[in-house]
Amino acid sequence: MKRFAFRSIFIFSALVCLFSCKSEYEALLKSNDVNLKYKAAMDYYEKGKYNRAADLFESLSMLTSGLSIDDTVQFYWGKSNYNYRDFYTAETNFQKFLEVYPTSPFASEATFLRLECLYKQTLRYELDQAPTHKAMAAIDEYISDYAPDSTARARCKEMKEDLQWRLDTKAYEAARLYYNMEDYIASKVAFRNILKDNAENIYREDILYYIAMSSYKYARLSVPEKQKERYIAFQDDYLNFLGEYPQSSYRRELDLMHRRSQKALGHYVGETEDDTMSERDFVKDRKFKERQEAIKSKGAAATQKNDAAK
């Protein structure tokens, strides 16, 4: 009985406290006392109650226009939404802040936080990449305007590398789709266009490989009277690949395609062990080697970690 009474008193006290706090907060939202509201908003922010802080700063912003604290209110409204992980609203806050207060002491930090908001709004590489382009342009502008310190610069580099990976991967996978559909003309055009747009694409080696393979397969499937010129085009693509990546894991396969094209042109009559291999054999062989390399790298990393622990 006593336990039940104690529990009831505890619940009642908690409810009283809850409603008291709620009514106090609602009263603050309706208040026109700038100083009281500002102090309460900052208190909520410092205590990590970012949702309430954001609501108070938003309400406060209607009262501080033209006052000396307005830039602080606008900035912390954005920071509250940022810390609450409402990146869309925070980005809007920071954008408006920078338009109104471009020379504020908070401008540099607001610009950087806006970058973070733009970055966090970007999508997976399979989806629309317009937000990615917007974020990358904003990062370049920030670096140009503010010459950030090493920590901020490193973060900008990290964000840009990730965003560039998305753009490169989207373009690469779109072109590879043509190859997998066996539309080798479209495949070759698509892969070439990738390198026209960005010669430093992270998949450059793979792209040059697929350009050469698209040329070879297009030639092989052509009518006899068209094969000669198309095998010659393949040989040009093969030599381009070889000039950049002579030690590539694709080398053995492309060497075979080159010998086969020479045979088709009547320039090569020799035979090697590889000549009986199919494309599927090369893919299996390459994947096996890649797995072996991954195992070696993992083992080396584990050894290094153990040595460091000693």
Side-chain angles (χ1 to χ4, degrees):
M1 189 69 180
K2 286 182 179 180
R3 182 180 297 175
F4 176 76
F6 177 77
R7 187 177 177 188
S8 298
I9 292 168
F10 176 79
I11 292 171
F12 178 74
S13 300
L15 288 171
V16 169
C17 182
L18 176 65
F19 285 114
S20 173
C21 291
K22 187 176 181 183
S23 60
E24 181 186 348
Y25 171 68
E26 288 174 348
L28 282 167
L29 279 175
K30 294 174 184 176
S31 172
N32 289 327
D33 187 328
V34 171
N35 291 330
L36 179 65
K37 211 166 192 173
Y38 179 79
K39 182 179 182 305
M42 281 297 188
D43 284 344
Y44 278 124
Y45 181 86
E46 293 299 330
K47 291 174 181 175
K49 297 180 179 179
Y50 300 118
N51 191 29
R52 289 196 167 192
D55 288 343
L56 280 174
F57 281 122
E58 180 179 7
S59 176
L60 192 58
S61 69
M62 300 176 201
L63 305 172
T64 57
S65 180
L67 299 182
S68 60
I69 62 168
D70 189 52
D71 67 328
T72 305
V73 169
Q74 298 288 346
F75 175 68
Y76 275 93
W77 180 14
K79 279 196 81 172
S80 297
N81 280 317
Y82 175 83
N83 288 323
Y84 190 61
R85 303 186 69 78
D86 182 355
F87 299 118
Y88 180 82
T89 305
E91 192 271 322
T92 304
N93 291 147
F94 291 130
Q95 178 64 31
K96 181 183 175 184
F97 170 85
L98 291 165
E99 288 171 1
V100 178
Y101 298 108
T103 59
S104 166
F106 299 119
S108 177
E109 186 180 356
T111 305
F112 182 76
L113 290 174
R114 178 174 174 260
L115 299 185
E116 289 278 6
C117 292
L118 290 170
Y119 173 71
K120 291 175 189 296
Q121 289 179 71
T122 55
L123 307 172
R124 302 193 317 267
Y125 78 82
E126 304 97 327
L127 303 176
D128 179 30
Q129 292 303 299
T132 298
H133 288 289
K134 184 178 179 181
M136 291 181 76
I139 291 169
D140 288 337
E141 187 177 346
Y142 170 74
I143 292 172
S144 172
D145 290 349
Y146 290 99
D149 61 31
S150 58
T151 303
R153 187 175 288 275
R155 176 60 179 155
C156 287
K157 182 182 177 184
E158 180 186 328
M159 287 190 285
K160 277 200 73 172
E161 285 177 351
D162 179 48
L163 295 173
Q164 189 61 57
W165 175 86
R166 296 184 208 191
L167 295 177
D168 288 354
T169 302
K170 186 177 181 71
Y172 172 69
E173 292 296 345
R176 210 157 67 98
L177 186 61
Y178 288 116
Y179 183 86
N180 292 335
M181 291 168 60
E182 300 182 2
D183 186 346
Y184 299 120
I185 299 177
S187 166
K188 186 172 178 177
V189 169
F191 281 119
R192 284 193 182 282
N193 285 339
I194 291 174
L195 296 182
K196 279 182 185 177
D197 293 337
N198 176 24
E200 302 302 318
N201 187 290
I202 60 171
Y203 298 99
R204 184 176 177 87
E205 179 181 350
D206 303 86
I207 288 168
L208 290 175
Y209 161 78
Y210 278 114
I211 287 173
M213 287 300 294
S214 295
S215 284
Y216 175 80
K217 291 187 175 186
Y218 181 52
R220 190 185 65 188
L221 295 173
S222 297
V223 294
E225 56 268 27
K226 294 284 187 179
Q227 284 187 327
K228 180 177 180 180
E229 63 184 90
R230 291 171 183 171
Y231 275 127
I232 291 171
F234 158 72
Q235 290 184 345
D236 288 340
D237 293 329
Y238 164 78
L239 292 172
N240 284 338
F241 179 89
L242 207 62
E244 288 197 41
Y245 301 102
Q247 305 301 322
S248 171
S249 60
Y250 293 125
R251 170 72 186 270
R252 190 175 166 206
E253 181 180 3
L254 287 175
D255 283 350
L256 172 59
M257 302 304 129
H258 183 241
R259 287 195 297 273
R260 287 178 178 172
S261 70
Q262 286 186 310
K263 281 183 181 179
L265 293 169
H267 299 157
Y268 183 83
V269 293
E271 186 85 11
T272 73
E273 187 178 335
D274 286 347
D275 289 346
T276 58
M277 293 182 73
S278 67
E279 183 187 358
R280 183 176 295 178
D281 294 328
F282 277 107
V283 171
K284 284 170 66 178
D285 187 46
R286 190 164 60 245
K287 285 184 176 177
F288 174 77
K289 287 179 180 175
E290 286 170 357
R291 283 197 299 272
Q292 292 299 104
E293 287 299 320
I295 291 168
K296 280 184 189 175
S297 298
K298 207 170 184 182
T303 302
Q304 191 174 7
K305 190 175 180 181
N306 290 335
D307 289 344
K310 290 176 184 177

